[in-house]
Amino acid sequence: MKHGNKATRTIVAAALGLTLQGHAIAQVANGNFESWQQGQPTQWSTIDSGITVTKNNTIIKSGTSSAQVTVSTASQSNTDLLQAIAVQAGQTYDFSTWVYHTEGKVKARLIVDGYRSYSDPYTTQQWQKISHQYTASTSKVINVGLRFYDVSGFDGNEIVYLDDFQPSDSTPPVTPPPTTCSNNELTVKLTTDKYASETSWKLNTAQGHTVASGADFTNNTTHTETLCLTDGMYNFVISDSYGDGICCEFGNGSYLLTHNNQTIAEGASFTNQNTHRFTLGSDGGDNGGGTPGDYYASAAGLTGYALKTQLHEIIKSHNSQGYSAIWQFIDRSERDLYFEKDNSVLDRYSEKPSSIDAYNFVAVSDQCGSYRGESDCYNREHSFPKSWFGGKIEPMNSDIHHIFATDGFVNAKRNSFPFGEVASSSFTSTNGSRVGPAKSTLNYNGTVFEPIDKFKGDFARVYFYMATRYEDKIGNWQNYSTYGNAALDGSRTRAFEPWLVTMLLRWHQLDPVDELEIARNQAAYEFQGNRNPYVDHPEFVTQIW
């Protein structure tokens, strides 16, 4: 996409069951796999977790890089690498890509509006071309990409390289008719600062699938995207790779989302990332099987504790699955698909988001059990300590929204101390989570546990959830334990002591909602039938507290 003083493009998000990143007429974007962002090929999407895609600079067909695809599952429904493009009725396109097999126990199948040609898995250590000529019967948006299949002898892990995924229009190009939007037209307006290359944005569904994105901008310019989106809940994420936002030290950058001439989200000053959650459509839609569109309808227009009480009414009747079922939830939904992407158990007390973890847990086999030190096993951590609500009492004891997989030894070190900010550590885990006396600026005099910055917002929104889900009970919990008394104020409205509310609000702003938290919230909803409102609508936090 070329950027001038003002660049505009239109993206139509169709109900295709995949992400739609960018809009091209008979042209595969980034087909040569030269453009990468945050370790992923721009414009391409992996479906589920059966494959991982990384940049490769050694085995290439053309250019300077190719896509290294690691196939780690024999379930073909989890192995698609896809992109959506627009085609015109009556036009014929020659789609092709080059595949390089390493072991010959996996084959690739070309996807062009359906499943087409296979590669020869036994042609190894060399490039081979697979192709398909496609004639569009109607003007529409189609899936293109590849699916990977295991063959006899597959050992559960194999690498395949891809490069030069190209179409060729064999008939003269036709100027497409103007695009009209019969759904929700959303406008994204971005003004960049002096370091536009650091800025990018994504628009995700409630399930975390990216439907549109922007990157590779030019400095000090305005860029506008007009998106056509179906009814549903969306998450707009704007990022700055340097961590200083887009305003105001190095220019006057800003962003603005509008729908029907109304502002959906706007901002300028942030650090690494800012996230805005919103719903489009009169009924919100179901967003592909995610949040019911009218889930929060009864809370519309409310603020303050009246909003909190109505949210309580919405989420109060979840289906408790019992404490033992949490092991199964961890096995299915508490995996590292976001940092090292190695499918190990994601432990917020040992995870190192920007480097290699000191150790990893294998789901199920590394469950606690006994432990003598860090890395021995993982446990089911009540981030809101169970002693605060009186012990093993349901439904709080098994409410998955506040229970996470964590190292058993670190979990024990955390004890039932309140979350806080540590002045000097008496214990530090391998990822920097700490136990120690509270900083004097916290206005609390006692021992606290401080998780790393990456997860502080997650835990803050968990606490706001607990204050809301158990609004009818939390006012009676103050005297169950010493540490609970230090954190809880004995009311059903504010719920927490002023020092803790102040800190949680700060953590909520420091660490905005991200894709990991969105996906976990959806998994929790599917597990027990209620949601954390403050993940779906982060703005509710400041509207209440």
Side-chain angles (χ1 to χ4, degrees), residues 308-309 311-321 382 384-385 388-389 393-403 462-477 488 490-496 528 530-531 533-534 545:
K308 177 171 170 285
T309 296
L311 293 176
H312 165 74
E313 292 298 319
I314 294 170
I315 67 174
K316 69 179 182 180
S317 300
H318 78 259
N319 301 314
S320 179
Q321 301 300 307
H382 293 83
F384 189 102
W388 292 14
F389 51 73
I393 300 173
E394 295 297 347
M396 294 81 71
N397 188 56
S398 64
D399 190 333
I400 198 63
H401 281 290
H402 79 110
I403 301 174
V462 163
Y463 273 45
F464 291 130
Y465 164 86
M466 293 296 287
T468 304
R469 166 62 182 87
Y470 301 104
E471 181 181 89
D472 56 336
K473 298 178 175 67
I474 198 168
N476 299 319
W477 293 350
L488 304 173
S491 75
R492 59 176 289 155
T493 50
R494 188 179 65 191
F496 302 114
Q528 65 179 38
N530 72 339
R531 306 183 68 83
Y534 308 106
W545 280 275

Side-chain angles (χ1 to χ4, degrees), residues 109 124 145 300 332 375 448 462 491:
R109 191 174 190 181
T124 61
R332 293 195 307 268
S375 81
V448 294
V462 163
S491 75

Side-chain angles (χ1 to χ4, degrees), residues 174-497:
V174 176
T175 303
T179 302
T180 58
C181 179
S182 59
N183 294 305
N184 302 287
E185 189 171 284
L186 180 76
T187 300
V188 180
K189 182 179 180 181
L190 172 69
T191 300
T192 59
D193 62 6
K194 295 179 180 179
Y195 296 94
S197 62
E198 300 169 358
T199 304
S200 62
W201 61 265
K202 289 183 178 181
L203 186 68
N204 301 328
T205 66
Q207 292 73 45
H209 299 312
T210 301
V211 297
S213 64
D216 301 322
F217 299 114
T218 52
N219 298 339
N220 299 314
T221 55
T222 298
H223 311 271
T224 302
E225 309 281 4
T226 301
L227 315 177
C228 186
L229 304 168
T230 57
D231 290 357
M233 297 183 69
Y234 294 91
N235 186 51
F236 178 78
V237 183
I238 186 162
S239 304
D240 181 83
S241 60
Y242 191 78
D244 60 356
I246 56 177
C247 183
C248 299
E249 186 176 357
F250 299 105
N252 293 304
S254 63
Y255 59 91
L256 174 68
L257 274 67
T258 57
H259 172 58
N260 292 337
N261 296 318
Q262 295 186 345
T263 297
I264 297 294
E266 60 182 330
S269 298
F270 57 97
T271 53
N272 296 92
Q273 194 176 88
N274 208 5
T275 302
H276 298 272
R277 188 80 167 170
F278 60 92
T279 301
L280 295 177
S282 58
D283 63 357
D286 69 357
N287 213 20
T291 311
D294 60 354
Y295 193 76
Y296 298 109
S298 61
L302 299 177
T303 59
Y305 294 138
L307 170 59
K308 177 171 170 285
T309 296
Q310 188 56 44
L311 293 176
H312 165 74
E313 292 298 319
I314 294 170
I315 67 174
K316 69 179 182 180
S317 300
H318 78 259
N319 301 314
S320 179
Q321 301 300 307
Y323 192 58
S324 61
I326 293 171
W327 290 126
Q328 286 72 48
F329 179 87
I330 292 171
D331 182 27
R332 293 195 307 268
S333 305
E334 202 84 301
R335 301 297 192 96
D336 185 356
L337 308 177
Y338 303 89
F339 305 109
E340 293 169 296
K341 302 181 180 180
D342 57 6
N343 210 38
S344 63
V345 173
L346 202 160
D347 168 13
R348 287 160 177 77
Y349 291 173
S350 66
E351 175 62 48
K352 296 181 178 181
S354 58
S355 62
I356 301 300
D357 294 339
Y359 55 88
N360 289 309
F361 290 125
V362 177
V364 182
S365 63
D366 286 340
Q367 292 173 187
C368 292
S370 61
Y371 45 83
R372 295 184 178 181
E374 192 173 354
S375 81
D376 285 350
C377 60
Y378 68 89
N379 216 332
R380 297 160 290 182
E381 156 72 325
H382 293 83
S383 62
F384 189 102
K386 62 178 177 290
S387 62
W388 292 14
F389 51 73
K392 299 178 180 180
I393 300 173
E394 295 297 347
M396 294 81 71
N397 188 56
S398 64
D399 190 333
I400 198 63
H401 281 290
H402 79 110
I403 301 174
F404 298 88
T406 62
D407 180 281
F409 183 77
V410 182
N411 184 13
K413 288 291 185 180
R414 187 266 163 107
N415 201 333
S416 296
F417 300 130
F419 284 131
E421 293 164 351
V422 172
S424 58
S425 303
S426 59
F427 168 80
T428 303
S429 76
T430 57
N431 82 334
S433 299
R434 305 189 297 162
V435 176
K439 290 181 179 178
S440 58
T441 54
L442 202 59
N443 294 317
Y444 169 67
N445 183 22
T447 301
V448 294
F449 179 86
E450 181 175 6
I452 62 172
D453 289 351
K454 179 62 179 175
F455 303 120
K456 284 180 176 176
D458 302 46
F459 290 126
R461 287 177 284 275
V462 163
Y463 273 45
F464 291 130
Y465 164 86
M466 293 296 287
T468 304
R469 166 62 182 87
Y470 301 104
E471 181 181 89
D472 56 336
K473 298 178 175 67
I474 198 168
N476 299 319
W477 293 350
Q478 187 179 21
N479 296 317
Y480 281 139
S481 72
T482 300
Y483 299 125
N485 185 38
L488 304 173
D489 73 350
S491 75
R492 59 176 289 155
T493 50
R494 188 179 65 191
F496 302 114
E497 294 287 356

Side-chain angles (χ1 to χ4, degrees), residues 11-14 16 18-23 43 45 83-85 141 203 210-213 228:
I11 298 177
V12 180
L16 294 172
L18 69 150
T19 65
L20 174 55
Q21 300 183 355
H23 175 87
Q43 308 300 333
S45 297
Q83 180 177 142
I85 68 170
V141 178
L203 186 68
T210 301
V211 297
S213 64
C228 186

